[in-house]
């Protein structure tokens, strides 16, 4: 949560290093702190079924991403607003180079 807060503040003040710090450093550290101990504890609890225990843990971790992605898209659809410094959204043209 702290990583997302720092990253969102970085987006708001247009600071790319703050976005990297929030998502990359704090977000990565939080994932490591949450993921590794959980798998290690499961392997101790189920010494005979280590493969099953670690597989279910990894599956649960991936399922969280499957739930988070559509949720993020829905929330972005509701709350997304183009920046005002670009002008009115009807005047903005997206140009893609190939």
């Amino acid at each position: 949560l702290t990583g997302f807060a720092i990253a969102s503040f970085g987006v708001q003040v247009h600071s790319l290093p703050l976005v990297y710090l929030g998502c990359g450093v704090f977000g990565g550290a939080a994932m490591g702190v949450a993921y590794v101990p959980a798998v290690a504890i499961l392997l101790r609890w189920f010494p005979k079924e280590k493969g099953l225990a670690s597989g279910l843990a990894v599956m649960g971790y991936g399922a969280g991403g499957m739930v988070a992605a559509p949720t993020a898209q829905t929330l972005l659809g509701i709350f997304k607003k183009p920046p005002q410094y670009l002008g009115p959204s009807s005047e903005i043209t997206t140009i893609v180079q190939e």
Side-chain angles (χ1 to χ4, degrees):
L1 189 59
T2 303
F4 285 127
I6 292 171
S8 65
F9 179 71
V11 169
Q12 194 163 12
V13 298
H14 305 289
S15 173
L16 192 58
L18 275 178
V19 174
Y20 287 157
L21 177 73
C23 282
V25 175
F26 284 107
M31 284 183 178
V33 167
Y35 177 72
V36 173
V39 172
I41 289 171
L42 281 174
L43 294 180
R44 285 190 192 154
W45 283 355
F46 303 103
K48 292 182 181 178
E49 295 92 11
K50 287 184 178 185
L52 176 66
S54 62
L56 289 174
V58 171
M59 181 189 68
Y61 203 67
M66 287 175 47
V67 170
T71 303
Q73 289 295 332
T74 302
L75 290 174
L76 280 173
I78 294 170
F79 296 109
K80 183 178 80 172
K81 170 172 108 171
Q84 297 298 320
Y85 62 87
L86 294 175
S89 59
S90 61
E91 304 275 327
I92 298 172
T93 305
T94 304
I95 299 172
V96 179
Q97 275 186 323
E98 293 184 28

Coordinates of all heavy atoms in Angstrom, one line a residue:
L1 N 0.8 -1.2 0.0 CA 0.0 0.0 0.0 C 0.9 1.3 0.0 O 0.6 2.2 -0.7 CB -0.9 0.0 1.2 CG -2.0 1.0 1.2 CD1 -2.9 0.9 0.0 CD2 -2.8 0.9 2.5
T2 N 2.0 1.2 0.7 CA 2.8 2.4 0.8 C 3.5 2.6 -0.6 O 3.6 3.8 -1.1 CB 4.0 2.2 1.8 OG1 3.4 1.9 3.1 CG2 4.9 3.4 1.9
G3 N 3.8 1.5 -1.3 CA 4.4 1.7 -2.6 C 3.5 2.3 -3.6 O 3.8 3.2 -4.4
F4 N 2.2 1.9 -3.6 CA 1.2 2.5 -4.4 C 1.0 4.0 -4.1 O 0.7 4.8 -5.0 CB -0.1 1.7 -4.4 CG -0.1 0.4 -5.1 CD1 -0.5 -0.7 -4.5 CD2 0.3 0.4 -6.4 CE1 -0.5 -1.9 -5.1 CE2 0.3 -0.8 -7.1 CZ -0.1 -2.0 -6.4
A5 N 1.0 4.3 -2.8 CA 0.8 5.7 -2.4 C 1.9 6.6 -2.9 O 1.7 7.7 -3.4 CB 0.7 5.8 -0.9
I6 N 3.2 6.1 -2.8 CA 4.3 6.8 -3.3 C 4.3 7.0 -4.8 O 4.5 8.0 -5.4 CB 5.6 6.2 -2.8 CG1 5.8 6.3 -1.3 CG2 6.8 6.8 -3.5 CD1 6.9 5.5 -0.7
A7 N 3.9 5.9 -5.5 CA 3.8 5.9 -6.9 C 2.7 6.8 -7.4 O 2.9 7.6 -8.4 CB 3.6 4.5 -7.5
S8 N 1.6 6.8 -6.7 CA 0.5 7.7 -7.2 C 0.9 9.2 -6.9 O 0.5 10.0 -7.7 CB -0.8 7.4 -6.4 OG -0.7 7.6 -5.1
F9 N 1.6 9.4 -5.8 CA 2.1 10.8 -5.6 C 3.1 11.2 -6.7 O 3.0 12.3 -7.2 CB 2.7 10.9 -4.2 CG 3.2 12.3 -3.9 CD1 2.3 13.3 -3.7 CD2 4.6 12.5 -3.9 CE1 2.8 14.6 -3.4 CE2 5.1 13.8 -3.6 CZ 4.2 14.8 -3.4
G10 N 3.9 10.3 -7.1 CA 4.9 10.5 -8.2 C 4.2 10.8 -9.5 O 4.6 11.7 -10.2
V11 N 3.1 10.2 -9.8 CA 2.3 10.4 -11.0 C 1.7 11.8 -10.9 O 1.7 12.6 -11.8 CB 1.2 9.4 -11.2 CG1 0.2 9.8 -12.3 CG2 1.9 8.0 -11.6
Q12 N 1.2 12.1 -9.7 CA 0.5 13.4 -9.5 C 1.4 14.6 -9.7 O 1.1 15.6 -10.2 CB -0.2 13.5 -8.2 CG -1.2 14.6 -8.0 CD -2.1 14.4 -6.8 OE1 -1.9 13.5 -6.0 NE2 -3.1 15.2 -6.8
V13 N 2.7 14.5 -9.2 CA 3.6 15.6 -9.3 C 4.6 15.4 -10.5 O 5.5 16.1 -10.7 CB 4.5 15.7 -8.0 CG1 3.6 16.0 -6.8 CG2 5.3 14.5 -7.7
H14 N 4.3 14.4 -11.4 CA 5.0 14.2 -12.6 C 6.5 13.9 -12.3 O 7.4 14.4 -12.9 CB 4.9 15.3 -13.6 CG 3.5 15.7 -13.9 ND1 2.7 14.9 -14.7 CD2 2.7 16.7 -13.5 CE1 1.5 15.4 -14.8 NE2 1.5 16.5 -14.1
S15 N 6.7 12.9 -11.4 CA 8.1 12.6 -11.0 C 8.3 11.1 -11.3 O 7.8 10.2 -10.5 CB 8.4 12.9 -9.5 OG 9.6 12.4 -9.2
L16 N 9.0 10.7 -12.4 CA 9.2 9.3 -12.7 C 10.1 8.6 -11.7 O 9.8 7.4 -11.4 CB 9.9 9.3 -14.1 CG 9.9 7.9 -14.7 CD1 8.5 7.3 -14.9 CD2 10.6 8.0 -16.1
P17 N 11.1 9.2 -11.1 CA 11.8 8.5 -10.0 C 10.9 8.1 -8.8 O 11.1 7.0 -8.3 CB 12.9 9.5 -9.6 CG 13.1 10.4 -10.8 CD 11.8 10.5 -11.4
L18 N 10.0 8.9 -8.5 CA 9.0 8.5 -7.4 C 8.2 7.4 -7.8 O 7.8 6.5 -7.0 CB 8.2 9.7 -7.0 CG 8.7 10.7 -6.0 CD1 7.8 11.8 -5.7 CD2 9.1 10.0 -4.7
V19 N 7.8 7.3 -9.1 CA 7.0 6.2 -9.5 C 7.8 4.9 -9.5 O 7.3 3.9 -9.0 CB 6.5 6.4 -11.0 CG1 5.8 5.2 -11.5 CG2 5.5 7.6 -11.0
Y20 N 9.0 5.0 -9.9 CA 9.9 3.8 -9.9 C 10.2 3.4 -8.4 O 10.2 2.2 -8.1 CB 11.3 4.1 -10.6 CG 11.2 4.2 -12.0 CD1 12.1 4.8 -12.8 CD2 10.2 3.5 -12.7 CE1 12.1 4.9 -14.2 CE2 10.1 3.6 -14.1 CZ 11.1 4.2 -14.8 OH 11.0 4.3 -16.2
L21 N 10.4 4.4 -7.5 CA 10.6 4.1 -6.1 C 9.4 3.4 -5.5 O 9.5 2.4 -4.8 CB 10.9 5.4 -5.3 CG 11.1 5.2 -3.8 CD1 12.5 4.5 -3.6 CD2 11.1 6.5 -3.2
G22 N 8.2 3.9 -5.8 CA 7.0 3.3 -5.2 C 6.7 2.0 -5.7 O 6.5 1.0 -5.0
C23 N 6.6 1.9 -7.1 CA 6.2 0.6 -7.7 C 7.3 -0.4 -7.6 O 7.1 -1.6 -7.3 CB 5.7 0.8 -9.1 SG 4.1 1.4 -9.2
G24 N 8.5 0.0 -8.0 CA 9.6 -0.9 -8.1 C 10.2 -1.3 -6.8 O 10.2 -2.5 -6.4
V25 N 10.7 -0.4 -6.0 CA 11.4 -0.7 -4.8 C 10.4 -1.1 -3.7 O 10.5 -2.3 -3.2 CB 12.2 0.5 -4.3 CG1 12.9 0.2 -3.0 CG2 13.3 0.9 -5.3
F26 N 9.5 -0.3 -3.3 CA 8.6 -0.7 -2.3 C 7.6 -1.8 -2.7 O 7.3 -2.7 -1.9 CB 7.8 0.6 -1.8 CG 8.6 1.5 -0.9 CD1 9.0 2.7 -1.4 CD2 8.9 1.1 0.4 CE1 9.8 3.5 -0.7 CE2 9.7 2.0 1.1 CZ 10.1 3.2 0.6
G27 N 7.1 -1.7 -3.9 CA 6.2 -2.8 -4.3 C 6.9 -4.1 -4.4 O 6.4 -5.2 -4.0
G28 N 8.1 -4.2 -5.0 CA 8.9 -5.4 -5.1 C 9.3 -5.9 -3.7 O 9.2 -7.2 -3.5
A29 N 9.7 -5.1 -2.8 CA 10.0 -5.5 -1.4 C 8.8 -6.1 -0.7 O 8.9 -7.1 -0.1 CB 10.6 -4.4 -0.6
A30 N 7.7 -5.5 -0.9 CA 6.4 -6.0 -0.3 C 6.0 -7.3 -0.9 O 5.6 -8.2 -0.1 CB 5.3 -5.0 -0.5
M31 N 6.2 -7.5 -2.2 CA 5.9 -8.8 -2.8 C 6.8 -9.9 -2.2 O 6.4 -11.0 -1.9 CB 6.0 -8.8 -4.3 CG 4.8 -8.1 -4.9 SD 5.0 -8.1 -6.7 CE 3.5 -7.3 -7.2
G32 N 8.1 -9.6 -2.1 CA 9.1 -10.5 -1.6 C 8.8 -10.9 -0.1 O 8.9 -12.0 0.3
V33 N 8.4 -9.9 0.7 CA 8.2 -10.1 2.1 C 6.9 -10.9 2.3 O 6.8 -11.8 3.2 CB 8.1 -8.8 2.8 CG1 7.5 -8.9 4.2 CG2 9.4 -8.1 2.9
A34 N 5.9 -10.8 1.4 CA 4.7 -11.5 1.5 C 4.7 -12.9 0.9 O 4.2 -13.9 1.4 CB 3.5 -10.7 0.9
Y35 N 5.5 -13.1 -0.2 CA 5.4 -14.3 -1.0 C 6.4 -15.4 -0.4 O 6.0 -16.5 -0.2 CB 5.8 -14.0 -2.4 CG 5.9 -15.2 -3.4 CD1 4.7 -15.8 -3.7 CD2 7.1 -15.6 -3.8 CE1 4.8 -16.9 -4.6 CE2 7.1 -16.7 -4.7 CZ 6.0 -17.3 -5.1 OH 6.1 -18.4 -5.9
V36 N 7.6 -15.0 -0.2 CA 8.6 -16.0 0.2 C 8.3 -16.7 1.6 O 8.3 -17.9 1.7 CB 10.0 -15.3 0.2 CG1 11.1 -16.3 0.8 CG2 10.4 -14.9 -1.2
P37 N 8.0 -15.9 2.6 CA 7.7 -16.6 3.9 C 6.4 -17.5 3.8 O 6.4 -18.5 4.4 CB 7.4 -15.4 4.9 CG 8.1 -14.3 4.3 CD 8.0 -14.5 2.8
A38 N 5.4 -17.1 3.0 CA 4.2 -17.9 2.9 C 4.6 -19.2 2.3 O 4.1 -20.3 2.7 CB 3.2 -17.2 2.1
V39 N 5.4 -19.2 1.2 CA 5.7 -20.5 0.6 C 6.6 -21.3 1.5 O 6.4 -22.6 1.6 CB 6.4 -20.2 -0.8 CG1 7.0 -21.5 -1.4 CG2 5.4 -19.6 -1.8
A40 N 7.5 -20.7 2.2 CA 8.4 -21.4 3.1 C 7.6 -22.1 4.2 O 7.9 -23.2 4.6 CB 9.5 -20.5 3.7
I41 N 6.6 -21.4 4.8 CA 5.8 -22.0 5.8 C 5.0 -23.2 5.3 O 4.9 -24.2 5.9 CB 4.9 -20.9 6.4 CG1 5.8 -20.0 7.3 CG2 3.8 -21.5 7.3 CD1 5.0 -18.7 7.8
L42 N 4.4 -23.0 4.1 CA 3.7 -24.1 3.5 C 4.6 -25.3 3.3 O 4.1 -26.5 3.5 CB 3.1 -23.7 2.2 CG 1.8 -22.9 2.3 CD1 1.4 -22.4 0.9 CD2 0.7 -23.7 2.9
L43 N 5.8 -25.1 2.9 CA 6.7 -26.3 2.7 C 7.0 -27.0 4.0 O 7.2 -28.2 4.0 CB 8.0 -25.8 2.0 CG 7.8 -25.3 0.5 CD1 9.1 -24.9 -0.1 CD2 7.1 -26.4 -0.3
R44 N 7.1 -26.2 5.1 CA 7.3 -26.9 6.4 C 6.0 -27.6 6.9 O 6.1 -28.6 7.5 CB 7.7 -25.8 7.4 CG 9.1 -25.4 7.3 CD 9.5 -24.5 8.4 NE 10.8 -23.9 8.1 CZ 11.1 -22.7 8.7 NH1 10.4 -22.1 9.6 NH2 12.3 -22.2 8.3
W45 N 4.9 -27.0 6.6 CA 3.6 -27.7 7.0 C 3.3 -29.0 6.3 O 2.7 -29.9 6.8 CB 2.4 -26.7 6.8 CG 2.3 -25.6 7.8 CD1 3.1 -25.5 8.9 CD2 1.4 -24.6 7.8 NE1 2.7 -24.4 9.6 CE2 1.7 -23.8 8.9 CE3 0.4 -24.2 7.0 CZ2 0.9 -22.6 9.2 CZ3 -0.3 -23.0 7.3 CH2 -0.1 -22.3 8.4
F46 N 3.7 -29.0 5.0 CA 3.4 -30.2 4.2 C 4.7 -30.7 3.6 O 5.0 -30.6 2.4 CB 2.5 -29.8 3.0 CG 1.2 -29.2 3.5 CD1 0.9 -27.9 3.4 CD2 0.2 -30.0 4.0 CE1 -0.3 -27.3 3.9 CE2 -1.0 -29.5 4.5 CZ -1.2 -28.1 4.4
P47 N 5.5 -31.4 4.4 CA 6.8 -31.9 3.9 C 6.7 -33.0 2.9 O 7.6 -33.1 2.0 CB 7.5 -32.4 5.2 CG 6.5 -32.6 6.2 CD 5.3 -31.7 5.8
K48 N 5.6 -33.7 2.9 CA 5.5 -34.8 1.9 C 4.9 -34.3 0.6 O 5.1 -35.0 -0.4 CB 4.6 -35.9 2.5 CG 5.2 -36.7 3.7 CD 4.4 -37.8 4.2 CE 5.0 -38.5 5.3 NZ 4.2 -39.5 5.9
E49 N 4.2 -33.3 0.7 CA 3.5 -32.7 -0.5 C 4.1 -31.3 -0.9 O 3.4 -30.4 -1.0 CB 2.0 -32.6 -0.4 CG 1.3 -33.9 -0.2 CD 1.2 -34.3 1.3 OE1 1.5 -33.5 2.1 OE2 0.8 -35.5 1.5
K50 N 5.4 -31.2 -0.9 CA 6.0 -29.9 -1.2 C 5.6 -29.3 -2.5 O 5.4 -28.1 -2.6 CB 7.6 -30.0 -1.1 CG 8.1 -30.2 0.3 CD 9.6 -30.2 0.3 CE 10.1 -30.3 1.7 NZ 11.5 -30.2 1.8
G51 N 5.6 -30.2 -3.5 CA 5.2 -29.7 -4.9 C 3.8 -29.2 -4.9 O 3.5 -28.1 -5.5
L52 N 2.9 -29.9 -4.3 CA 1.5 -29.5 -4.3 C 1.3 -28.2 -3.5 O 0.6 -27.3 -3.9 CB 0.6 -30.6 -3.6 CG -0.9 -30.2 -3.4 CD1 -1.6 -30.1 -4.8 CD2 -1.6 -31.3 -2.6
A53 N 2.0 -28.1 -2.3 CA 1.9 -26.9 -1.5 C 2.4 -25.7 -2.2 O 1.7 -24.6 -2.2 CB 2.6 -27.1 -0.2
S54 N 3.6 -25.8 -2.8 CA 4.2 -24.6 -3.5 C 3.4 -24.3 -4.7 O 3.2 -23.1 -5.1 CB 5.6 -24.8 -3.8 OG 5.8 -25.9 -4.7
G55 N 2.8 -25.3 -5.4 CA 2.0 -25.1 -6.6 C 0.7 -24.3 -6.3 O 0.3 -23.4 -7.0
L56 N 0.1 -24.7 -5.2 CA -1.1 -24.0 -4.8 C -0.9 -22.6 -4.3 O -1.6 -21.7 -4.6 CB -1.8 -24.8 -3.7 CG -2.5 -26.1 -4.1 CD1 -3.0 -26.9 -2.9 CD2 -3.6 -25.9 -5.1
A57 N 0.3 -22.4 -3.7 CA 0.7 -21.0 -3.3 C 0.9 -20.1 -4.5 O 0.4 -19.0 -4.6 CB 1.9 -21.1 -2.4
V58 N 1.6 -20.7 -5.5 CA 1.9 -19.9 -6.7 C 0.6 -19.7 -7.5 O 0.4 -18.6 -8.0 CB 2.9 -20.6 -7.6 CG1 3.1 -20.0 -8.9 CG2 4.3 -20.7 -6.9
M59 N -0.3 -20.7 -7.5 CA -1.6 -20.5 -8.1 C -2.4 -19.4 -7.5 O -3.0 -18.6 -8.1 CB -2.4 -21.8 -8.1 CG -3.7 -21.7 -8.8 SD -4.8 -23.1 -8.5 CE -5.2 -23.0 -6.8
G60 N -2.4 -19.4 -6.1 CA -3.1 -18.3 -5.4 C -2.5 -16.9 -5.7 O -3.3 -15.9 -5.8
Y61 N -1.2 -16.9 -5.8 CA -0.6 -15.6 -6.1 C -0.9 -15.1 -7.5 O -1.2 -13.9 -7.7 CB 0.9 -15.8 -6.0 CG 1.7 -14.6 -5.7 CD1 1.6 -13.9 -4.5 CD2 2.6 -14.1 -6.7 CE1 2.4 -12.8 -4.3 CE2 3.4 -13.0 -6.5 CZ 3.2 -12.3 -5.3 OH 4.0 -11.2 -5.1
G62 N -1.0 -16.0 -8.5 CA -1.4 -15.7 -9.8 C -2.9 -15.3 -9.9 O -3.3 -14.5 -10.7
A63 N -3.7 -16.0 -9.1 CA -5.1 -15.7 -9.1 C -5.4 -14.3 -8.6 O -6.3 -13.7 -9.1 CB -5.9 -16.8 -8.3
G64 N -4.6 -13.9 -7.7 CA -4.7 -12.5 -7.2 C -4.5 -11.5 -8.4 O -5.2 -10.5 -8.5
G65 N -3.5 -11.8 -9.3 CA -3.3 -10.9 -10.4 C -4.5 -11.0 -11.4 O -4.8 -10.0 -12.1
M66 N -5.1 -12.2 -11.5 CA -6.2 -12.3 -12.4 C -7.4 -11.5 -11.9 O -8.2 -11.0 -12.7 CB -6.6 -13.8 -12.6 CG -5.6 -14.6 -13.4 SD -6.0 -16.3 -13.5 CE -7.7 -16.4 -13.8
V67 N -7.6 -11.4 -10.6 CA -8.6 -10.6 -10.1 C -8.3 -9.1 -10.1 O -9.2 -8.3 -10.4 CB -8.9 -11.0 -8.6 CG1 -9.9 -10.1 -7.9 CG2 -9.5 -12.5 -8.6
A68 N -7.0 -8.8 -9.8 CA -6.6 -7.4 -9.8 C -6.7 -6.7 -11.1 O -7.0 -5.5 -11.2 CB -5.2 -7.3 -9.2
A69 N -6.3 -7.4 -12.2 CA -6.3 -6.7 -13.5 C -7.7 -6.2 -14.0 O -7.8 -5.1 -14.3 CB -5.7 -7.7 -14.5
P70 N -8.8 -7.1 -13.9 CA -10.1 -6.5 -14.3 C -10.6 -5.5 -13.4 O -11.3 -4.5 -13.8 CB -11.0 -7.7 -14.3 CG -10.2 -8.9 -14.2 CD -8.8 -8.5 -13.7
T71 N -10.2 -5.6 -12.1 CA -10.7 -4.6 -11.1 C -10.0 -3.3 -11.4 O -10.7 -2.2 -11.4 CB -10.3 -5.1 -9.7 OG1 -10.9 -6.3 -9.4 CG2 -10.8 -4.1 -8.7
A72 N -8.7 -3.3 -11.7 CA -8.0 -2.1 -12.1 C -8.6 -1.4 -13.3 O -8.8 -0.2 -13.4 CB -6.5 -2.3 -12.3
Q73 N -8.9 -2.2 -14.4 CA -9.5 -1.7 -15.6 C -10.9 -1.1 -15.3 O -11.2 0.0 -15.8 CB -9.7 -2.8 -16.6 CG -8.4 -3.3 -17.2 CD -7.7 -2.2 -18.0 OE1 -8.4 -1.3 -18.6 NE2 -6.4 -2.3 -18.1
T74 N -11.7 -1.7 -14.5 CA -13.0 -1.1 -14.1 C -12.8 0.2 -13.4 O -13.5 1.2 -13.7 CB -13.8 -2.1 -13.2 OG1 -13.9 -3.3 -13.9 CG2 -15.1 -1.6 -12.9
L75 N -11.9 0.2 -12.4 CA -11.7 1.4 -11.6 C -11.1 2.6 -12.5 O -11.5 3.7 -12.4 CB -10.8 1.2 -10.4 CG -11.4 0.3 -9.3 CD1 -10.4 0.0 -8.3 CD2 -12.6 1.0 -8.7
L76 N -10.3 2.2 -13.4 CA -9.7 3.2 -14.4 C -10.8 3.8 -15.3 O -10.8 4.9 -15.6 CB -8.6 2.6 -15.2 CG -7.2 2.6 -14.5 CD1 -6.2 1.8 -15.4 CD2 -6.7 3.9 -14.2
G77 N -11.7 2.9 -15.7 CA -12.8 3.3 -16.5 C -13.7 4.3 -15.8 O -14.3 5.2 -16.4
I78 N -13.9 4.1 -14.5 CA -14.7 5.0 -13.7 C -14.0 6.3 -13.3 O -14.6 7.4 -13.5 CB -15.2 4.3 -12.4 CG1 -16.1 3.1 -12.8 CG2 -15.9 5.2 -11.5 CD1 -16.4 2.2 -11.6
F79 N -12.8 6.2 -12.9 CA -12.1 7.4 -12.3 C -11.1 8.0 -13.2 O -10.6 9.1 -12.8 CB -11.4 7.0 -11.0 CG -12.4 6.5 -9.9 CD1 -12.5 5.2 -9.6 CD2 -13.2 7.5 -9.3 CE1 -13.3 4.8 -8.6 CE2 -14.1 7.1 -8.3 CZ -14.2 5.7 -8.0
K80 N -10.8 7.5 -14.4 CA -9.7 8.0 -15.2 C -10.2 9.4 -15.8 O -11.4 9.5 -16.3 CB -9.4 7.1 -16.3 CG -8.3 7.6 -17.2 CD -8.0 6.6 -18.3 CE -9.0 6.7 -19.4 NZ -8.6 5.9 -20.6
K81 N -9.3 10.3 -15.8 CA -9.6 11.6 -16.3 C -8.4 12.1 -17.0 O -7.3 12.1 -16.4 CB -10.1 12.5 -15.1 CG -10.2 13.9 -15.4 CD -10.8 14.6 -14.2 CE -9.8 15.4 -13.5 NZ -10.3 16.3 -12.5
P82 N -8.4 12.6 -18.2 CA -7.2 13.0 -18.9 C -6.7 14.3 -18.2 O -7.4 15.1 -17.6 CB -7.6 13.4 -20.3 CG -9.1 13.5 -20.3 CD -9.6 12.7 -19.1
P83 N -5.3 14.5 -18.2 CA -4.8 15.6 -17.6 C -5.2 16.9 -18.2 O -5.4 17.0 -19.4 CB -3.3 15.4 -17.7 CG -3.0 14.2 -18.5 CD -4.4 13.6 -18.8
Q84 N -5.4 17.9 -17.4 CA -6.0 19.2 -17.9 C -4.9 20.0 -18.7 O -5.3 20.8 -19.6 CB -6.4 20.1 -16.7 CG -7.6 19.4 -16.0 CD -8.8 19.2 -16.8 OE1 -9.2 20.1 -17.6 NE2 -9.5 18.1 -16.7
Y85 N -3.6 19.7 -18.5 CA -2.6 20.5 -19.2 C -2.6 20.2 -20.7 O -1.9 20.9 -21.4 CB -1.3 20.4 -18.5 CG -0.7 19.0 -18.5 CD1 0.1 18.5 -19.6 CD2 -0.9 18.2 -17.4 CE1 0.6 17.2 -19.6 CE2 -0.4 16.9 -17.4 CZ 0.4 16.4 -18.5 OH 0.9 15.2 -18.5
L86 N -3.2 19.1 -21.1 CA -3.2 18.7 -22.5 C -4.3 19.4 -23.3 O -4.3 19.4 -24.5 CB -3.3 17.2 -22.7 CG -2.2 16.3 -22.1 CD1 -2.6 14.9 -22.3 CD2 -0.9 16.6 -22.9
G87 N -5.2 20.0 -22.6 CA -6.3 20.6 -23.2 C -7.6 19.7 -23.1 O -7.6 18.7 -22.5
P88 N -8.7 20.1 -23.8 CA -9.9 19.3 -23.7 C -9.7 18.0 -24.4 O -9.0 17.8 -25.4 CB -10.9 20.2 -24.5 CG -10.2 21.4 -25.0 CD -8.8 21.4 -24.5
S89 N -10.3 16.9 -23.8 CA -10.1 15.6 -24.4 C -10.6 15.4 -25.8 O -10.1 14.6 -26.5 CB -10.8 14.6 -23.5 OG -12.2 14.8 -23.4
S90 N -11.5 16.3 -26.2 CA -12.0 16.2 -27.6 C -10.9 16.7 -28.6 O -11.0 16.4 -29.8 CB -13.3 17.0 -27.8 OG -13.0 18.4 -27.5
E91 N -10.0 17.5 -28.1 CA -8.9 18.0 -29.0 C -7.6 17.2 -29.0 O -6.7 17.5 -29.8 CB -8.5 19.4 -28.5 CG -9.7 20.4 -28.4 CD -9.9 21.1 -29.7 OE1 -9.0 21.3 -30.4 OE2 -11.1 21.4 -30.0
I92 N -7.6 16.1 -28.2 CA -6.3 15.3 -28.1 C -6.3 14.3 -29.2 O -7.3 13.6 -29.4 CB -6.2 14.7 -26.7 CG1 -6.1 15.8 -25.6 CG2 -5.0 13.7 -26.6 CD1 -6.2 15.2 -24.2
T93 N -5.2 14.2 -29.9 CA -5.1 13.1 -30.9 C -3.9 12.2 -30.5 O -2.8 12.7 -30.2 CB -4.8 13.8 -32.3 OG1 -5.8 14.7 -32.6 CG2 -4.7 12.8 -33.4
T94 N -4.1 11.0 -30.6 CA -3.1 10.0 -30.3 C -2.4 9.6 -31.6 O -3.1 9.2 -32.6 CB -3.6 8.7 -29.6 OG1 -4.4 9.1 -28.5 CG2 -2.5 7.8 -29.3
I95 N -1.1 9.8 -31.6 CA -0.3 9.4 -32.8 C 0.6 8.2 -32.5 O 1.3 8.3 -31.5 CB 0.5 10.6 -33.3 CG1 -0.3 11.8 -33.6 CG2 1.4 10.3 -34.5 CD1 0.4 13.1 -33.9
V96 N 0.5 7.2 -33.4 CA 1.3 6.0 -33.2 C 2.3 5.9 -34.3 O 1.8 5.9 -35.5 CB 0.4 4.8 -33.1 CG1 1.2 3.5 -32.9 CG2 -0.6 4.9 -31.9
Q97 N 3.5 5.7 -34.1 CA 4.5 5.5 -35.1 C 4.8 4.1 -35.3 O 4.9 3.3 -34.3 CB 5.8 6.2 -34.8 CG 5.9 7.7 -35.1 CD 7.2 8.3 -34.9 OE1 7.9 7.9 -33.9 NE2 7.7 9.2 -35.8
E98 N 4.9 3.6 -36.5 CA 5.3 2.2 -36.7 C 6.7 2.1 -37.3 O 7.2 2.9 -37.8 CB 4.3 1.6 -37.6 CG 2.9 1.5 -37.0 CD 1.9 0.8 -37.9 OE1 2.3 -0.1 -38.7 OE2 0.7 1.1 -37.8

